[in-house]
Amino acid sequence: MLKRFIWVAIATLFFALQLPIGSAAAYELSEEVRTVPLNDKGDTVVLSTKQLDRGRRLFNDSCAKCHAAGRTKTNPNITLAADSLAGAEPPRDNLTTLVDYLIHPTSYDGELDLTELHPNKERSDIWTEMRNLTQEDLKEIAGHILIQPKIQGVKWGGGKVYN
């Protein structure tokens, strides 16, 4: 009898742990984390968790091949870390300018047109992964990039030393 009770208890525990828990998003981000700079005038915008989740998925589908964990495979000196984005010319540390970069990419110093070298909406004939992305999609990708330093800290764009 005791043996049967133990098996029933184990089975009950096993099936109880199989119940769905919460929503598909395993985490909730505070409003402070979801707040990102909108433009270079200092305005901010609070992105929804749905926008950020979608931005993460789009980033992983379209950008992570070259920018895994915020690093840049083709040029490790320039990352997607907050200080690298702020140091670009023009600075790419806000939603508006980062979306603009995804449409019209330029070199870090802003002098060279990179539409033939970096995926962008302007040349979606070359960069097919960008073909179906809307303006809202680009905003969500940019939002994902901008909140990562708040979530991952120095690991985002920090290189192999942090992995």
Side-chain angles (χ1 to χ4, degrees), residues 103-117:
I103 297 170
H104 312 286
T106 59
S107 59
Y108 194 70
D109 60 7
E111 294 183 11
L112 299 174
D113 177 13
L114 297 181
T115 55
E116 305 277 329
L117 302 172

Side-chain angles (χ1 to χ4, degrees), residues 40-156:
D40 53 3
K41 295 175 185 155
D43 299 328
T44 60
V45 63
V46 179
L47 301 170
S48 71
T49 54
K50 183 178 177 181
Q51 287 175 305
L52 293 172
D53 185 50
R54 193 156 184 283
R56 177 186 51 79
R57 284 186 284 119
L58 291 168
F59 178 87
N60 288 339
D61 290 344
S62 303
C63 310
K65 291 178 286 252
C66 296
H67 294 289
R71 296 184 304 269
T72 302
K73 288 182 182 178
T74 57
N75 186 351
N77 296 322
I78 300 172
T79 69
L80 298 180
D83 57 343
S84 287
L85 294 173
E89 189 58 47
R92 303 294 187 179
D93 59 349
N94 64 68
L95 210 57
T96 304
T97 57
L98 201 47
V99 168
D100 178 63
Y101 180 84
L102 295 172
I103 297 170
H104 312 286
T106 59
S107 59
Y108 194 70
D109 60 7
E111 294 183 11
L112 299 174
D113 177 13
L114 297 181
T115 55
E116 305 277 329
L117 302 172
H118 188 278
N120 62 84
K121 283 294 289 180
E122 189 173 291
R123 290 301 309 267
S124 60
D125 57 325
I126 300 173
W127 309 103
T128 56
E129 64 268 25
M130 303 293 282
R131 185 172 293 153
N132 296 322
L133 296 178
T134 65
Q135 191 77 9
E136 185 62 25
D137 294 339
L138 298 178
K139 178 181 171 185
E140 290 166 353
I141 291 170
H144 169 75
I145 292 168
L146 292 171
I147 69 158
Q148 289 311 301
K150 295 178 187 179
I151 296 172
Q152 295 187 32
V154 295
K155 288 183 178 181
W156 179 254

